[in-house]
Amino acid sequence: MSTDDLYQLLRSYDPSDVSMQQFYAVWVEDIPVEEAVVILNGDPASGAPDSFSGWGSGSDGSGSEAAGLLAGLIGNWTLIISDYRSTEDEALLTLSRCGRRTLAVSWDFHGETVLKYARDGELVTVLDILDTSDRSGSDPNALDPYISSLRFNIDDDDPGEPATEPRESFTSALTAIGRMVGHQIDRDWLEATHTTYLVPADDLD
């Protein structure tokens, strides 16, 4: 496998120039799909069968317009692909209550490139996937066993090693998440039938 295989896998569903400019996803342990959807302000009544391959490369809604989220089980976890609102701290803290481990990746190459880990209503680790020395949380090193041997830092200069590209950093983040979850996101999940839900626009008044 190539060092950026998961990035390329996601991009293969939309090879346009704007593909993978933004990607937001959350994994929550031991939570029913509809409970997670409600926490993320989705409308459970709007649920319709769909797959990532049919839905596209994700929702990049700004919050000022209605958006959608795609949710489905991956092992004992629920995986949700949506817009940036699903990966905000407040959403993750709520999702992680009752001891649930919750992971999120925010990929916006012109903004945040962050991997987050929350548990039991607490933000445990936040790290920049392009520079993992930039980290915070109650235990900034809690993800170290899962990121071991993976390359993230685009400014590292290792003699004899090629430079780390951002798409490899993104793939490393998904790989680390897969190690904790026990299931890597893959083509089978992306092409399987899950459920999409409508997320109303934020009330800006």
Side-chain angles (χ1 to χ4, degrees), residues 95-117:
L95 288 166
S96 72
R97 288 176 182 166
C98 303
R100 291 188 292 246
R101 292 183 294 174
T102 301
L103 294 155
V105 63
S106 299
W107 170 260
D108 179 346
F109 192 49
H110 302 291
E112 281 198 336
T113 50
V114 177
L115 173 60
K116 297 180 180 180
Y117 170 42

Side-chain angles (χ1 to χ4, degrees), residues 68-142:
L69 61 82
L70 177 72
L73 295 175
I74 183 166
N76 295 323
W77 297 61
T78 291
L79 169 54
I80 298 163
I81 301 174
S82 185
D83 64 24
Y84 77 95
R85 290 173 289 179
S86 66
T87 64
E88 291 188 314
D89 292 354
E90 183 177 353
L92 298 182
L93 297 181
T94 303
L95 288 166
S96 72
R97 288 176 182 166
C98 303
R100 291 188 292 246
R101 292 183 294 174
T102 301
L103 294 155
V105 63
S106 299
W107 170 260
D108 179 346
F109 192 49
H110 302 291
E112 281 198 336
T113 50
V114 177
L115 173 60
K116 297 180 180 180
Y117 170 42
R119 183 168 189 169
D120 206 18
E122 180 179 53
L123 207 55
V124 179
T125 307
V126 179
L127 60 85
D128 187 330
I129 65 175
L130 302 184
D131 177 9
T132 55
S133 66
D134 183 359
R135 56 176 72 190
S136 60
S138 62
D139 185 356
N141 302 319

